[in-house]
Amino acid sequence: MITIYHNSRCSKSREGVCFLENTKEDFQVVNYLENIPTKDELKELLRKLNISPIDLVRKKESIWISDYKNKNLSDDEIIQAMIDNPKLIERPIIVNGDKAVIARPTERINEIL
């Protein structure tokens, strides 16, 4: 089953849902602002994305700039920052089995279908 980690306020995230609806594939939507991923879930997402924690952070978010930017953070501290402030998590994330992409641009979803 395909999963999209979704923020309904984000236009790119909404585009990702629309894209998946048009594929006619079964998928589930995870509103990660309400259902915050655990540390283990984030680590698994990072593994599937094949990126480091800092690459999943939305670095232009005000909370990142005010509280974390220019600090020498470990990977675990970055993951904890995303758990404490889930809007820092880049979106949308699409997962299909053991693969995942950050769907920016939306067409990147094709890479894992």
Side-chain angles (χ1 to χ4, degrees):
M1 162 100 37
I2 296 169
T3 302
I4 180 170
Y5 287 82
H6 175 62
N7 175 349
S8 61
R9 290 183 162 187
C10 173
S11 64
K12 292 294 183 188
S13 198
R14 290 190 307 270
E15 287 174 20
V17 169
C18 185
F19 186 97
L20 288 172
E21 288 172 345
N22 289 332
T23 67
K24 307 296 185 212
E25 298 275 346
D26 288 334
F27 69 96
Q28 65 179 357
V29 176
V30 175
N31 181 341
Y32 67 89
L33 296 178
E34 294 175 10
N35 300 305
I36 302 168
T38 65
K39 185 175 189 177
D40 287 341
E41 289 169 332
L42 272 177
K43 285 184 174 186
E44 182 65 10
L45 279 174
L46 290 163
R47 184 190 68 75
K48 290 178 180 183
L49 289 162
N50 195 29
I51 62 174
S52 63
I54 193 65
D55 296 325
L56 191 57
V57 172
R58 296 177 54 82
K59 295 168 198 77
K60 293 182 181 177
E61 288 289 338
S62 60
I63 189 76
W64 179 261
I65 294 167
S66 66
D67 292 4
Y68 302 102
K69 186 178 179 182
N70 299 322
K71 291 185 178 179
N72 188 14
L73 301 172
S74 69
D75 285 351
D76 280 344
E77 289 171 323
I78 294 168
I79 290 169
Q80 190 61 51
M82 289 187 280
I83 292 167
D84 294 342
N85 306 282
K87 70 180 188 175
L88 289 176
I89 300 171
E90 189 60 79
R91 58 195 179 246
I93 302 168
I94 315 299
V95 180
N96 187 7
D98 206 37
K99 299 177 188 172
V101 294
I102 299 170
R104 289 178 172 264
T106 305
E107 293 75 24
R108 290 209 56 214
I109 297 170
N110 285 319
E111 296 174 19
I112 62 168
L113 292 183

